[in-house]
Amino acid sequence: MTTKHEQILQYIDRLPIGSKISVRQIAKDLDVSEGTAYRAIKEAETQGYVSTIERVGTVRIEKKQKENIERLTFAEVVNIVDGHVLGGREGLHKTLNKFVIGAMQLEAMMRYIDAGSLLIVGNRYQAHKIALQQGAAVLITGGFDTSEEIKQLADRLALPIISSSYDTFTVASMINRAIYDRLIKKEIVMVEDVLKPLAETPVLLPSDPVAKWHQYTELYQDTRFPVVDEQMRLIGIVTSKDIIGHEETATIDKVMTKNPITTSPRVSVASSAHMMVWEGIELLPVVDNHRKLVGVLSRNDVLKALQYTAKQPQMSETFPNLIMSHFREERKSDELLYLGEVSPQMTNHLGTIASGIMTTVMVEAACNLLRQHRRGDMVPENVMVYFLKPVQMESQIEVQPRLLDISRRFGKVEVMVYQGDQLVGQAMVTAQIIER
């Protein structure tokens, strides 16, 4: 029997793409309280098929697949470029496939415009009109307006026409930056991408006998199984350790480990791997906000995911990467060194290196040294900075990481930073090693 919450989710899922959703309307249509309707709408938003879009409202959207994460909706473009909508507001939930800069003759420009594009152009009314007719949205730069005829056409076709006060180059750069940020997120593999789904996960009920666990071990060649109630809510986990010394007639609820450690689908695999290593567990149940089982994550799944990401081309312009791009790696008498200059971007309001930047440099140097000894991902566990001195902008600094201790799971590194012969920074970094 489905709950009211599940019935509302199913109702929302069946709505056409682009449908407006309101708490009051759903409460009225399905005869539920507004609180129940609100919680279901928020759950649908978490699952990615409902979005609350500024200036539009809450809308049923197409669920974004992982491979399409780099795409933006037109509503997001409005926010990115501080724009305002001149027409076609009903199409703000749509996704743009590419953008075209209209800095060429009209005939040449139209060869590049197709449905789902965004034309970035100035006050060229004819270009606005033809782009809309070809199924593309329009972004007008320089703060210009357009004609009433074109606004009406945009409304009729449900294709947004947006105006921004920025120039064309700035607008294109802002949209590119937003897409690039999403590509960085795309590289972060989430639990939902690699878990074994519920349909493929054997589960036990608390009333099942231990004999059924023995049957499952032969059938599935595994020894760890989640235990769920009749609503598929996780209540325990049972492994070979739990079974030892118990008769086959004993029930699972008497032997299982209650309230096991869990994770959620929207947690990164690296974070879950850290938890599994730290807690010494091989199987991590994945549950939703209502503790319903959605799948399981095994240590093998984690290792495969980390191996996969290691093979991907690295294009992340993350802050640690940007900071370390100012340093070059050298070796002196078999010791690893990092030499670099304090750039203006690395300083605080006093013109000296910011303490956060200095800490990042020391942590990155420590983790890089550990990677020379162990293949895997380094997760800093403890950073103890016990000496810092001001370092002026454009100063040359030398970072010297020194290995103190390393095991299969942990590494400890002392890092010293010198400006000439003067010690200006010192820290102790302990990191957990997640082997690939």
Side-chain angles (χ1 to χ4, degrees):
M1 181 179 171
T2 56
T3 63
K4 284 184 178 179
H5 181 83
E6 289 164 337
Q7 286 169 10
I8 300 168
L9 287 175
Q10 289 165 8
Y11 171 80
I12 295 171
D13 195 28
R14 288 194 294 268
L15 288 174
I17 304 298
S19 301
K20 294 274 187 69
I21 298 167
S22 80
V23 170
R24 189 169 296 169
Q25 192 61 46
I26 284 184
K28 184 181 172 186
D29 290 349
L30 299 181
D31 192 25
V32 295
S33 71
E34 290 191 3
T36 304
Y38 175 79
R39 284 192 293 275
I41 290 170
K42 284 297 165 190
E43 174 74 16
E45 202 167 341
T46 303
Q47 292 181 17
Y49 57 91
V50 162
S51 178
T52 301
I53 299 171
E54 194 177 340
R55 302 182 178 93
V56 176
T58 305
V59 180
R60 170 76 169 90
I61 60 168
E62 190 171 353
K63 189 166 183 178
K64 286 185 182 179
Q65 299 301 315
K66 186 72 175 178
E67 61 270 19
N68 292 334
I69 195 169
E70 67 273 22
R71 295 184 180 180
L72 301 167
T73 64
F74 293 120
E76 289 170 309
V77 170
V78 174
N79 293 329
I80 290 163
V81 302
D82 295 329
H84 62 276
V85 183
L86 303 176
R89 194 175 293 276
E90 293 295 319
L92 282 173
H93 69 279
K94 294 177 181 175
T95 302
L96 73 143
N97 301 321
K98 65 176 182 179
F99 64 86
V100 178
I101 297 174
M104 56 190 93
Q105 292 294 324
L106 195 60
E107 295 76 20
M109 190 193 308
M110 291 308 147
R111 288 205 302 269
Y112 297 97
I113 297 172
D114 47 31
S117 302
L118 175 69
L119 173 65
I120 301 174
V121 70
N123 57 340
R124 297 171 66 180
Y125 292 0
Q126 193 61 22
H128 304 168
K129 185 176 180 179
I130 295 174
L132 290 169
Q133 288 170 340
Q134 292 191 199
V138 178
L139 174 50
I140 306 170
T141 57
F144 292 109
D145 204 341
T146 190
S147 70
E148 283 303 315
E149 179 201 353
I150 290 168
K151 290 177 186 177
Q152 288 168 14
L153 178 63
D155 287 338
R156 196 163 63 247
L157 297 174
L159 286 167
I161 188 154
I162 304 158
S163 177
S164 171
S165 57
Y166 294 114
D167 61 74
T168 302
F169 174 78
T170 304
V171 160
S173 300
M174 292 164 97
I175 296 173
N176 250 335
R177 179 73 257 177
I179 292 172
Y180 200 80
D181 285 348
R182 289 182 173 226
L183 283 170
I184 291 173
K185 289 180 187 175
K186 183 181 175 184
E187 288 182 358
I188 301 171
V189 181
M190 309 302 280
V191 166
E192 66 184 358
D193 301 317
V194 299
L195 60 75
K196 184 188 290 182
L198 187 57
E200 299 170 22
T201 305
V203 296
L204 289 165
L205 295 172
S207 56
D208 287 334
V210 167
K212 191 163 185 179
W213 177 87
H214 288 290
Q215 292 169 11
Y216 272 24
T217 56
E218 291 182 21
L219 186 61
Y220 298 107
Q221 299 298 302
D222 203 346
T223 59
R224 305 169 190 86
F225 304 103
V227 184
V228 296
D229 63 16
E230 290 179 357
Q231 280 78 45
M232 294 306 290
R233 285 191 295 261
L234 182 77
I235 56 173
I237 194 164
V238 62
T239 69
S240 53
K241 288 179 188 173
D242 301 315
I243 297 298
I244 293 169
H246 290 281
E247 298 290 329
E248 292 203 350
T249 52
T251 52
I252 292 295
D253 62 336
K254 298 291 191 297
V255 302
M256 69 184 185
T257 300
K258 294 177 182 176
N259 302 317
I261 295 166
T262 63
T263 189
S264 109
R266 295 297 300 157
V267 169
S268 72
V269 168
S271 171
S272 297
H274 179 270
M275 191 193 304
M276 291 174 86
V277 170
W278 186 254
E279 300 290 344
I281 51 180
E282 298 282 338
L283 189 78
L284 196 57
V286 184
V287 297
D288 66 12
N289 294 338
H290 306 284
R291 208 166 171 79
K292 283 196 174 183
L293 189 70
V294 295
V296 292
L297 188 68
S298 70
R299 193 171 283 203
N300 281 342
D301 296 329
V302 168
L303 292 173
K304 283 177 189 172
L306 294 176
Q307 285 166 359
Y308 171 78
T309 52
K311 292 173 186 171
Q312 297 309 297
Q314 294 304 305
M315 56 188 298
S316 303
E317 199 178 348
T318 57
F319 286 121
N321 288 348
L322 280 171
I323 292 165
M324 293 310 288
S325 68
H326 292 276
F327 291 82
R328 68 180 189 277
E329 187 177 296
E330 287 192 4
R331 285 197 169 274
K332 190 196 296 182
S333 306
D334 288 337
E335 288 186 352
L336 191 66
L337 304 173
Y338 290 90
L339 304 173
E341 184 180 284
V342 178
S343 69
Q345 294 91 342
M346 296 163 69
T347 59
N348 57 26
H349 66 288
L350 299 173
T352 61
I353 190 167
S355 57
I357 300 290
M358 179 75 98
T359 304
T360 298
V361 169
M362 292 193 282
V363 169
E364 290 297 306
C367 290
N368 287 344
L369 177 64
L370 290 173
R371 286 188 194 100
Q372 308 273 331
H373 296 268
R374 291 277 188 280
R375 286 191 62 221
D377 287 307
M378 305 300 153
V379 181
E381 288 265 311
N382 185 32
V383 182
M384 188 166 61
V385 180
Y386 44 85
F387 184 70
L388 278 180
K389 282 191 78 172
V391 181
Q392 295 297 321
M393 181 170 51
E394 298 183 348
S395 299
Q396 299 290 326
I397 58 175
E398 182 177 298
V399 186
Q400 300 179 2
R402 186 166 63 90
L403 186 67
L404 296 180
D405 188 23
I406 191 166
S407 67
R408 193 167 64 85
R409 290 189 177 180
F410 292 96
K412 187 180 284 187
V413 178
E414 184 179 43
V415 186
M416 285 159 294
V417 183
Y418 289 92
Q419 180 188 356
D421 295 330
Q422 187 180 20
L423 182 69
V424 292
Q426 194 167 2
M428 183 81 71
V429 180
T430 306
Q432 186 181 147
I433 303 166
I434 302 173
E435 292 184 351
R436 289 194 179 127

